Amino acid sequence: MQILAVDVGTGTQDIFLFDSRMAVENGFKMVLPSPTMIVRRKIQAATRQRDPIVLTGVTMGGGPSHWAVEDHLAEGLPVYATPDAARSFNDDLEVLRDQGITVVSEEEASVLAQDCPSFELRDFDYPAIRDAFQAFGVSLDGLAAVAVAVFDHGAAPPGYSDRKFRFEYIEQRVVAENRLSAFAFPADRIPPIMTRMQAVARSAGELDAPLMMMDTAPAAVLGATLDPRVGAQDRSIIANIGNFHTLAFRLGPGGIEGVFEHHTGFMSRKKLESLFGAFAAGELTDDYVFADQGHGARILSDLPLPLERDMQNLAVIGPRRGMMVGSNLQPYFAAPFGDMMLVGCFGLLAAAADVFPSLAGPIRAGLRTDGAQGAPPWELEST
């Protein structure tokens, strides 16, 4: 049984092909530029050529691509975008018009594209991934499932804080199910407010396998629990220090004991230490994090969690985890199956076992961390 897991971040998209017959360490993997970075480079090339640009497709992650659009506009060059593509940068189209983006219909975009570069926006490019594997003789035919993670702020009502809106959603999911896989959904059950996830589902029409969507940060934290040292802890804090966002969960025997999310750009090692300390003690408040330009915090257990240095019950992951190197808290740098970059993919697989019960047995057997090994690749090819 094979499952394709794709974790779409700001800097990279991390891709893992899980095969239940094979040890995870032998699985085929790719770490490639993220979709928003690919779009950014295309826009920058157009800016150098002084070309107007047309953006089509669906809502995707912004960040680097949005900065490239702003630079393009600052050069006095036109930017045309269909409504769905434009919402990659802001759900309020009037705000984008005020920034200088011309919102056009699909028909108008088709006409404009005859005379200037046109870029299709989407987070999940299955044909490109399929062709990349195929170039190395690996077929994706007969996949049992596809699991994709993206960071989704959700579509906040006009005038409502997108930071508050996202964290209220996080709280709702935790209270509803109190497990990390609560942030994963089959394609036909994605909440309507999760517009980026919905866009991936709409743009993945070539798939002939069930699709699961999940938020990136909970996927990474869930993946970190597969590190034997992390999994052995009765209670722990696991923090994903991402390029844009830092999200931490406090986990205990009863499930999720707390959660907070902030912006990594506001972080330093000293500030992270302060946040983790307050979080462990149960003293971190929602008002403090939000006033500090973060998303929010929620403590679900009154029982403090001592951060024991000898136990290393603070685990960190993510592309910016290096910020905690040398910390007095002496965090553990988790790397399930020896690969931190794929921690989100491993979390996607663990969540898929809950979302697709018929696949649970092979997934959980394949993700065992007790030293059990599957067959090497050459033995599979000979059968």
Side-chain angles (χ1 to χ4, degrees):
M1 181 190 76
Q2 290 185 316
I3 297 174
L4 178 67
V6 182
D7 181 16
V8 180
T10 304
T12 64
Q13 54 180 315
D14 311 317
I15 302 165
F16 181 64
L17 181 60
F18 171 78
D19 191 317
S20 60
R21 304 167 297 170
M22 191 160 55
V24 170
E25 289 85 348
N26 271 323
F28 303 128
K29 64 191 76 173
M30 296 186 288
V31 177
L32 301 171
S34 66
T36 188
M37 286 296 295
I38 294 170
V39 172
R40 172 182 174 83
R41 291 168 181 169
K42 291 179 179 179
I43 293 172
Q44 289 175 326
T47 304
R48 290 192 293 270
Q49 294 295 321
R50 310 293 300 174
D51 289 329
I53 60 172
V54 182
L55 305 178
T56 63
V58 299
T59 302
M60 66 173 289
S65 60
H66 190 193
W67 303 332
V69 164
E70 291 174 334
D71 291 343
H72 197 80
L73 291 168
E75 291 292 321
L77 301 169
V79 176
Y80 305 97
T82 60
D84 282 347
R87 290 189 181 97
S88 301
F89 313 130
N90 196 302
D91 291 319
D92 190 338
L93 296 182
E94 287 306 314
V95 170
L96 297 175
R97 291 187 178 99
D98 290 342
Q99 292 178 0
I101 296 174
T102 303
V103 180
V104 298
S105 67
E106 296 285 350
E107 293 76 13
E108 290 171 315
S110 296
V111 174
L112 289 164
Q114 297 175 15
D115 298 314
C116 55
S118 176
F119 308 130
E120 182 183 6
L121 307 191
R122 58 174 169 174
D123 276 315
F124 177 52
D125 190 343
Y126 176 70
I129 294 172
R130 178 198 59 208
D131 293 348
F133 274 110
Q134 186 62 53
F136 290 89
V138 179
S139 172
L140 298 188
D141 292 341
L143 291 171
V146 174
V148 179
V150 296
F151 182 97
D152 198 336
H153 264 107
Y160 197 78
S161 166
D162 63 350
R163 292 184 289 128
K164 187 176 289 291
F165 187 77
R166 172 171 165 83
F167 197 75
E168 287 174 351
Y169 163 76
I170 290 174
E171 289 182 295
Q172 290 165 4
R173 296 309 304 158
V174 170
V175 171
E177 297 190 37
N178 200 293
R179 59 178 183 173
L180 292 168
S181 60
F183 294 90
F185 308 92
D188 60 352
R189 293 179 58 191
I190 299 169
I193 60 171
M194 294 290 103
T195 51
R196 189 175 173 190
M197 291 188 187
Q198 292 277 1
V200 171
R202 290 198 310 273
S203 63
E206 296 185 41
L207 290 178
D208 58 0
L211 172 66
M212 184 196 83
M213 296 299 307
M214 189 173 186
D215 192 272
T216 51
V221 171
L222 179 55
T225 66
L226 297 172
D227 183 305
R229 201 161 177 177
V230 177
Q233 300 288 340
D234 290 332
R235 302 178 70 211
S236 62
I237 290 174
I238 305 176
N240 182 61
I241 307 176
N243 285 312
F244 267 18
H245 298 91
T246 293
L247 183 142
F249 281 93
R250 235 179 73 179
L251 304 178
I256 298 169
E257 297 183 350
V259 58
F260 82 85
E261 187 169 56
H262 209 309
H263 288 108
T264 307
F266 290 91
M267 296 297 106
S268 65
R269 185 174 69 189
K270 183 177 180 180
K271 188 167 188 177
L272 283 168
E273 290 173 337
S274 175
L275 287 170
F276 292 146
F279 188 46
E283 298 171 354
L284 189 64
T285 67
D286 183 73
D287 288 343
Y288 173 81
V289 175
F290 186 76
D292 195 45
Q293 300 304 309
H295 290 78
R298 175 75 180 270
I299 305 295
L300 299 172
S301 171
D302 295 331
L303 183 64
L305 170 62
L307 292 179
E308 303 289 348
R309 295 180 184 178
D310 57 337
M311 293 287 290
Q312 292 187 311
N313 57 354
L314 168 63
V316 295
I317 50 175
R320 302 288 300 280
R321 73 195 193 285
M323 295 175 69
M324 289 296 289
V325 171
S327 167
N328 290 330
L329 296 178
Q330 297 182 4
Y332 173 62
F333 294 88
F337 304 103
D339 197 332
M340 195 288 299
M341 284 302 294
L342 292 184
V343 65
C345 293
F346 301 145
L348 281 168
L349 291 166
D354 289 339
V355 171
F356 302 126
S358 63
L359 306 179
I363 292 174
R364 290 172 181 154
L367 293 178
R368 287 171 59 183
T369 57
D370 58 2
Q373 295 291 311
W378 55 86
E379 288 188 8
L380 301 183
E381 292 178 3
S382 65
T383 59

